[in-house]
Amino acid sequence: MKRISISTLLLFITSIAVFAQMEGKKPISQPLVSHIFTADPSAHVFKGKIYIYPSHDIESGAKEDDEGGHFDMKDYHILSMKKIGGKVKDHGVALDIKDVPWAGRQMWAPDAAYHNGTYYLYFPVKDKQDIFRIGVATSNKPQGPFKAEPEPMKGSYSIDPSVFKDTDGTYYMYFGGIWGGQLQRWDDNEYHANAALKKPEEVAYLPRIAKMNPDMKSFAEEVKEVQLLDENGKPFLEKNNDKRFFEAAWMHKYNGKYYFSYSTGDTHNLCYAIGDSPYGPFTYKGIVLKPVQGWTNHHSIIEIKGKWYLFYHDVQLSGKTHLRNVKVTELKYNPDGTIQTIEPYK
Ligand code: FUB
């Protein structure tokens, strides 16, 4: 008899739950493109245009497993549009895995930054030893093509890099993701190949942060844990899986406060926590986006012409967890600075 993996079972249960919630409801927004599958959208405004740096989902034939082996992406395409609701342009292949000398497989969620005339693409990919590292590639255009550095960023590991420029001009990278993202294998920045996942009563894994050097290709300090606390100022335990960090870190600043948002992974929420410094501590405030159709939930939050937007994905076009489509919807704040929770289907 065919063995059903835990992820397949969880996907099945989640799909039933999300489809049940969706009954009679419609998605609040439509896919931005439908000619390719795209996910994990990191949006930025460069040169007055909106650029989206997504994962490029494909059907590679890789078997689904508990480590996300079916997310077997091999390149990045960058999308752009002049305004929200405008025509979306696909700029073609911006970086191919075959042009990254150290890469093995699985190009996951990227991000981008601009500094001093150069655009930087940050991307997680497994190296030839099957360990996730973060690479950097450069271009003089926001849409690429990008040229990868010959080695991954020194001291980098795990997945989902997200680069934030603070108002004083300092750049920070947030990263990390558990399970297939391998964060559980890293303790005090040391690699432990056979590390077991934490037990429910243990303190949950924390995302990582490091200040960037002005070269934008290296960390200026040792990688640290981002301090993420529950509503009572206590660390989350692993069993708080509807609120604790899983993957998909994103930072934005609103009214002088730092908003750290992330996915809870196996419970599929996009949550956020607020703090007074890029390092935290961040105190949990609530849900930005309720679970979407598909297993993963991954996003970015940016301000465009005085309005705020959430870029996210679901699987509206394919119904398959690894073939996603990016979307955008407006994000609103309450007068006290909390975010109004978005229901993806109404
Ligand atoms: O796209 C592959 C992985 O799925 C991302 O790195 C995670 O954040 C999840 O969205």
Side-chain angles (χ1 to χ4, degrees):
M1 210 173 90
K2 190 176 174 283
R3 181 180 159 264
I4 297 177
S5 71
I6 296 172
S7 62
T8 309
L9 196 65
L10 286 172
L11 173 65
F12 180 66
I13 295 165
T14 307
S15 305
I16 292 177
V18 176
F19 277 112
Q21 280 166 25
M22 277 183 63
E23 214 184 322
K25 295 181 180 173
K26 291 202 171 74
I28 56 166
S29 61
Q30 291 301 311
L32 289 176
V33 290
S34 56
H35 66 293
I36 55 171
F37 293 110
T38 52
D40 311 322
S42 293
H44 294 272
V45 176
F46 293 136
K47 292 177 158 180
K49 247 167 120 175
I50 304 160
Y51 286 87
I52 304 165
Y53 298 81
S55 299
H56 175 202
D57 286 355
I58 52 163
E59 187 64 89
S60 78
K63 229 175 109 228
E64 179 169 344
D65 58 30
D66 291 341
E67 301 278 285
H70 47 312
F71 293 104
D72 188 27
M73 298 84 110
K74 299 186 191 308
D75 64 21
Y76 294 108
H77 282 228
I78 285 130
L79 310 175
S80 73
M81 53 192 180
K82 287 194 177 127
K83 56 174 187 179
I84 296 290
K87 196 164 168 254
V88 182
K89 181 167 178 185
D90 172 3
H91 294 272
V93 177
L95 181 67
D96 195 301
I97 197 162
K98 67 175 165 32
D99 298 321
V100 182
W102 54 273
R105 61 176 180 139
Q106 295 181 297
M107 289 186 125
W108 284 14
D111 192 19
Y114 170 78
H115 182 60
N116 274 352
T118 301
Y119 294 88
Y120 297 85
L121 180 71
Y122 300 95
F123 56 96
V125 64
K126 282 180 178 164
D127 65 14
K128 310 256 190 233
Q129 285 71 47
D130 231 27
I131 301 173
F132 267 116
R133 303 279 179 184
I134 295 168
V136 56
T138 55
S139 176
N140 57 8
K141 296 194 200 90
Q143 72 272 23
F146 286 87
K147 181 156 177 40
E149 291 294 302
E151 302 286 341
M153 288 178 69
K154 197 163 175 261
S156 72
Y157 53 87
S158 194
I159 59 165
D160 294 357
S162 168
V163 172
F164 164 72
K165 183 184 183 183
D166 204 349
T167 27
D168 67 357
T170 311
Y171 290 84
Y172 300 87
M173 181 182 284
Y174 297 86
F175 64 91
I178 63 175
W179 294 19
Q182 303 179 342
L183 188 62
Q184 66 278 4
R185 298 186 191 174
W186 293 88
D187 186 21
D188 225 358
N189 299 329
E190 300 269 337
Y191 185 67
H192 304 275
N194 300 315
L197 279 168
K198 288 193 178 191
K199 302 212 165 45
E201 296 299 333
E202 288 185 87
V203 171
Y205 299 99
L206 291 171
R208 303 296 203 264
I209 181 173
K211 191 188 284 182
M212 306 281 291
N213 272 320
D215 70 1
M216 297 294 280
K217 295 175 183 170
S218 56
F219 297 143
E221 61 185 6
E222 205 175 299
V223 170
K224 298 176 172 57
E225 289 183 341
V226 173
Q227 297 309 314
L228 194 57
L229 305 171
D230 71 11
E231 300 91 325
N232 304 311
K234 298 243 164 54
F236 284 116
L237 302 183
E238 193 48 34
K239 68 179 178 188
N240 306 134
N241 66 338
D242 58 336
K243 293 178 179 170
R244 62 91 171 89
F245 173 80
F246 188 102
E247 62 188 3
W250 186 261
M251 170 57 61
H252 75 275
K253 214 170 170 180
Y254 176 74
N255 282 349
K257 297 273 184 195
Y258 295 85
Y259 286 61
F260 180 78
S261 49
Y262 57 96
S263 168
T264 60
D266 54 339
T267 51
H268 322 288
N269 291 317
L270 279 184
C271 293
Y272 74 107
I274 301 182
D276 291 314
S277 139
Y279 296 94
F282 299 103
T283 307
Y284 180 87
K285 290 290 172 191
I287 296 177
V288 177
L289 179 70
K290 294 268 187 77
V292 291
Q293 216 190 327
W295 200 90
T296 63
N297 206 350
H298 192 128
H299 69 301
S300 58
I301 296 170
I302 61 165
E303 185 180 15
I304 305 166
K305 296 193 170 145
K307 282 187 167 187
W308 286 85
Y309 293 92
L310 174 79
F311 289 76
Y312 66 107
H313 67 225
D314 68 9
V315 298
Q316 185 182 331
L317 292 175
S318 75
K320 292 186 182 166
T321 182
H322 62 296
L323 298 177
R324 300 161 288 180
N325 45 257
V326 298
K327 298 183 156 189
V328 62
T329 192
E330 195 176 343
L331 174 142
K332 291 184 177 153
Y333 298 89
N334 295 310
D336 65 357
T338 54
I339 291 175
Q340 295 181 9
T341 300
I342 298 168
E343 296 276 358
Y345 311 97
K346 277 191 174 159

mmCIF file of all heavy atoms in Angstrom, residues 39-40 55 57 71 73 107-109 124 159-160 247-248 296-298 313 324, ligand 1:
data_model
loop_
_atom_site.group_PDB
_atom_site.id
_atom_site.type_symbol
_atom_site.label_atom_id
_atom_site.label_comp_id
_atom_site.label_asym_id
_atom_site.label_seq_id
_atom_site.Cartn_x
_atom_site.Cartn_y
_atom_site.Cartn_z
ATOM 1 N N ALA A 39 4.872 32.558 -6.645
ATOM 2 C CA ALA A 39 4.566 32.485 -5.206
ATOM 3 C C ALA A 39 5.509 33.385 -4.420
ATOM 4 O O ALA A 39 6.461 33.944 -4.973
ATOM 5 C CB ALA A 39 4.733 31.047 -4.748
ATOM 6 N N ASP A 40 5.252 33.517 -3.114
ATOM 7 C CA ASP A 40 6.174 34.196 -2.186
ATOM 8 C C ASP A 40 6.543 35.603 -2.677
ATOM 9 O O ASP A 40 7.751 35.925 -2.804
ATOM 10 C CB ASP A 40 7.473 33.390 -2.030
ATOM 11 C CG ASP A 40 7.234 31.914 -1.740
ATOM 12 O OD1 ASP A 40 6.300 31.604 -0.996
ATOM 13 O OD2 ASP A 40 8.000 31.072 -2.273
ATOM 14 N N SER A 55 8.847 33.539 -6.173
ATOM 15 C CA SER A 55 9.334 32.215 -6.567
ATOM 16 C C SER A 55 8.628 31.879 -7.871
ATOM 17 O O SER A 55 7.501 32.333 -8.121
ATOM 18 C CB SER A 55 8.952 31.163 -5.523
ATOM 19 O OG SER A 55 9.533 31.465 -4.283
ATOM 20 N N ASP A 57 7.084 28.833 -9.485
ATOM 21 C CA ASP A 57 6.675 27.440 -9.273
ATOM 22 C C ASP A 57 6.580 26.681 -10.593
ATOM 23 O O ASP A 57 6.069 27.222 -11.582
ATOM 24 C CB ASP A 57 5.295 27.401 -8.589
ATOM 25 C CG ASP A 57 5.360 27.773 -7.120
ATOM 26 O OD1 ASP A 57 6.478 27.967 -6.602
ATOM 27 O OD2 ASP A 57 4.286 27.870 -6.486
ATOM 28 N N PHE A 71 8.612 21.478 -4.090
ATOM 29 C CA PHE A 71 8.888 22.882 -4.430
ATOM 30 C C PHE A 71 10.281 22.898 -5.082
ATOM 31 O O PHE A 71 11.276 23.228 -4.457
ATOM 32 C CB PHE A 71 8.848 23.764 -3.178
ATOM 33 C CG PHE A 71 7.471 23.869 -2.562
ATOM 34 C CD1 PHE A 71 7.142 23.167 -1.418
ATOM 35 C CD2 PHE A 71 6.499 24.676 -3.143
ATOM 36 C CE1 PHE A 71 5.880 23.251 -0.858
ATOM 37 C CE2 PHE A 71 5.228 24.771 -2.590
ATOM 38 C CZ PHE A 71 4.915 24.057 -1.449
ATOM 39 N N MET A 73 11.893 24.522 -7.655
ATOM 40 C CA MET A 73 12.000 25.626 -8.618
ATOM 41 C C MET A 73 13.427 25.798 -9.127
ATOM 42 O O MET A 73 14.392 25.573 -8.395
ATOM 43 C CB MET A 73 11.532 26.923 -7.961
ATOM 44 C CG MET A 73 10.067 26.854 -7.539
ATOM 45 S SD MET A 73 9.898 26.071 -5.941
ATOM 46 C CE MET A 73 9.422 27.461 -4.946
ATOM 47 N N MET A 107 15.139 26.555 -5.752
ATOM 48 C CA MET A 107 15.236 28.014 -5.576
ATOM 49 C C MET A 107 13.940 28.484 -4.917
ATOM 50 O O MET A 107 12.895 28.502 -5.542
ATOM 51 C CB MET A 107 15.409 28.696 -6.932
ATOM 52 C CG MET A 107 16.773 28.445 -7.542
ATOM 53 S SD MET A 107 17.032 29.389 -9.047
ATOM 54 C CE MET A 107 18.553 30.246 -8.636
ATOM 55 N N TRP A 108 14.023 28.835 -3.636
ATOM 56 C CA TRP A 108 12.820 29.209 -2.876
ATOM 57 C C TRP A 108 12.681 30.738 -2.800
ATOM 58 O O TRP A 108 13.311 31.455 -3.568
ATOM 59 C CB TRP A 108 12.839 28.515 -1.516
ATOM 60 C CG TRP A 108 12.463 27.044 -1.611
ATOM 61 C CD1 TRP A 108 12.391 26.291 -2.756
ATOM 62 C CD2 TRP A 108 12.102 26.170 -0.543
ATOM 63 N NE1 TRP A 108 12.002 25.007 -2.441
ATOM 64 C CE2 TRP A 108 11.816 24.903 -1.104
ATOM 65 C CE3 TRP A 108 11.993 26.326 0.840
ATOM 66 C CZ2 TRP A 108 11.420 23.800 -0.330
ATOM 67 C CZ3 TRP A 108 11.597 25.233 1.619
ATOM 68 C CH2 TRP A 108 11.315 23.991 1.041
ATOM 69 N N ALA A 109 11.884 31.197 -1.858
ATOM 70 C CA ALA A 109 11.415 32.594 -1.819
ATOM 71 C C ALA A 109 12.538 33.642 -1.795
ATOM 72 O O ALA A 109 13.311 33.699 -0.835
ATOM 73 C CB ALA A 109 10.537 32.779 -0.602
ATOM 74 N N PRO A 124 17.300 31.870 -1.521
ATOM 75 C CA PRO A 124 17.714 30.655 -0.827
ATOM 76 C C PRO A 124 17.706 29.490 -1.805
ATOM 77 O O PRO A 124 16.763 29.334 -2.590
ATOM 78 C CB PRO A 124 16.610 30.467 0.220
ATOM 79 C CG PRO A 124 15.398 31.113 -0.369
ATOM 80 C CD PRO A 124 15.837 32.098 -1.420
ATOM 81 N N ILE A 159 16.174 29.619 4.917
ATOM 82 C CA ILE A 159 15.433 30.125 3.744
ATOM 83 C C ILE A 159 14.829 31.511 3.975
ATOM 84 O O ILE A 159 14.983 32.095 5.035
ATOM 85 C CB ILE A 159 14.286 29.152 3.377
ATOM 86 C CG1 ILE A 159 13.316 28.985 4.563
ATOM 87 C CG2 ILE A 159 14.834 27.805 2.939
ATOM 88 C CD1 ILE A 159 11.975 28.344 4.206
ATOM 89 N N ASP A 160 14.113 31.969 2.969
ATOM 90 C CA ASP A 160 13.245 33.151 3.033
ATOM 91 C C ASP A 160 13.962 34.434 3.483
ATOM 92 O O ASP A 160 13.542 35.089 4.455
ATOM 93 C CB ASP A 160 12.024 32.868 3.932
ATOM 94 C CG ASP A 160 11.101 31.811 3.346
ATOM 95 O OD1 ASP A 160 11.377 31.337 2.222
ATOM 96 O OD2 ASP A 160 10.111 31.452 3.992
ATOM 97 N N GLU A 247 8.004 30.513 9.035
ATOM 98 C CA GLU A 247 8.803 30.956 7.873
ATOM 99 C C GLU A 247 8.250 32.293 7.377
ATOM 100 O O GLU A 247 7.359 32.875 7.982
ATOM 101 C CB GLU A 247 8.758 29.906 6.750
ATOM 102 C CG GLU A 247 7.361 29.660 6.188
ATOM 103 C CD GLU A 247 7.291 28.492 5.209
ATOM 104 O OE1 GLU A 247 8.296 27.802 4.973
ATOM 105 O OE2 GLU A 247 6.193 28.268 4.670
ATOM 106 N N ALA A 248 8.804 32.788 6.230
ATOM 107 C CA ALA A 248 8.268 33.964 5.536
ATOM 108 C C ALA A 248 8.357 35.271 6.341
ATOM 109 O O ALA A 248 7.369 35.998 6.489
ATOM 110 C CB ALA A 248 6.822 33.714 5.096
ATOM 111 N N THR A 296 0.943 26.741 1.910
ATOM 112 C CA THR A 296 1.827 27.832 2.328
ATOM 113 C C THR A 296 1.093 29.177 2.340
ATOM 114 O O THR A 296 0.121 29.369 1.618
ATOM 115 C CB THR A 296 3.045 27.952 1.396
ATOM 116 O OG1 THR A 296 2.587 28.280 0.077
ATOM 117 C CG2 THR A 296 3.839 26.657 1.336
ATOM 118 N N ASN A 297 1.601 30.080 3.145
ATOM 119 C CA ASN A 297 1.098 31.451 3.189
ATOM 120 C C ASN A 297 2.339 32.334 3.288
ATOM 121 O O ASN A 297 3.142 32.164 4.223
ATOM 122 C CB ASN A 297 0.175 31.626 4.407
ATOM 123 C CG ASN A 297 -0.849 32.726 4.203
ATOM 124 O OD1 ASN A 297 -0.769 33.493 3.243
ATOM 125 N ND2 ASN A 297 -1.820 32.807 5.105
ATOM 126 N N HIS A 298 2.540 33.222 2.345
ATOM 127 C CA HIS A 298 3.809 33.983 2.279
ATOM 128 C C HIS A 298 3.506 35.315 1.596
ATOM 129 O O HIS A 298 2.754 35.362 0.638
ATOM 130 C CB HIS A 298 4.829 33.175 1.477
ATOM 131 C CG HIS A 298 6.217 33.693 1.563
ATOM 132 N ND1 HIS A 298 7.294 32.904 1.903
ATOM 133 C CD2 HIS A 298 6.726 34.924 1.322
ATOM 134 C CE1 HIS A 298 8.402 33.627 1.885
ATOM 135 N NE2 HIS A 298 8.088 34.856 1.529
ATOM 136 N N HIS A 313 -0.115 34.927 -1.897
ATOM 137 C CA HIS A 313 -0.415 33.949 -2.946
ATOM 138 C C HIS A 313 -1.477 32.970 -2.461
ATOM 139 O O HIS A 313 -1.749 32.873 -1.262
ATOM 140 C CB HIS A 313 0.858 33.206 -3.404
ATOM 141 C CG HIS A 313 1.470 32.314 -2.363
ATOM 142 N ND1 HIS A 313 2.818 32.263 -2.094
ATOM 143 C CD2 HIS A 313 0.927 31.400 -1.512
ATOM 144 C CE1 HIS A 313 3.068 31.382 -1.153
ATOM 145 N NE2 HIS A 313 1.928 30.854 -0.776
ATOM 146 N N ARG A 324 1.472 27.852 -7.321
ATOM 147 C CA ARG A 324 0.747 28.968 -6.708
ATOM 148 C C ARG A 324 0.657 30.180 -7.639
ATOM 149 O O ARG A 324 1.260 30.196 -8.708
ATOM 150 C CB ARG A 324 1.465 29.339 -5.391
ATOM 151 C CG ARG A 324 1.494 28.154 -4.426
ATOM 152 C CD ARG A 324 2.535 28.269 -3.334
ATOM 153 N NE ARG A 324 3.889 28.086 -3.843
ATOM 154 C CZ ARG A 324 4.986 28.131 -3.106
ATOM 155 N NH1 ARG A 324 4.902 28.349 -1.801
ATOM 156 N NH2 ARG A 324 6.172 27.971 -3.646
HETATM 157 O O1 FUB B 1 8.259 28.608 -2.090
HETATM 158 C C1 FUB B 1 8.935 27.664 -1.298
HETATM 159 C C2 FUB B 1 8.658 27.885 0.139
HETATM 160 O O2 FUB B 1 7.258 27.798 0.396
HETATM 161 C C3 FUB B 1 9.006 29.250 0.668
HETATM 162 O O3 FUB B 1 10.368 29.459 0.835
HETATM 163 C C4 FUB B 1 8.210 29.245 1.913
HETATM 164 O O4 FUB B 1 8.105 30.472 2.539
HETATM 165 C C5 FUB B 1 6.892 28.707 1.416
HETATM 166 O O5 FUB B 1 6.102 29.713 0.848
#
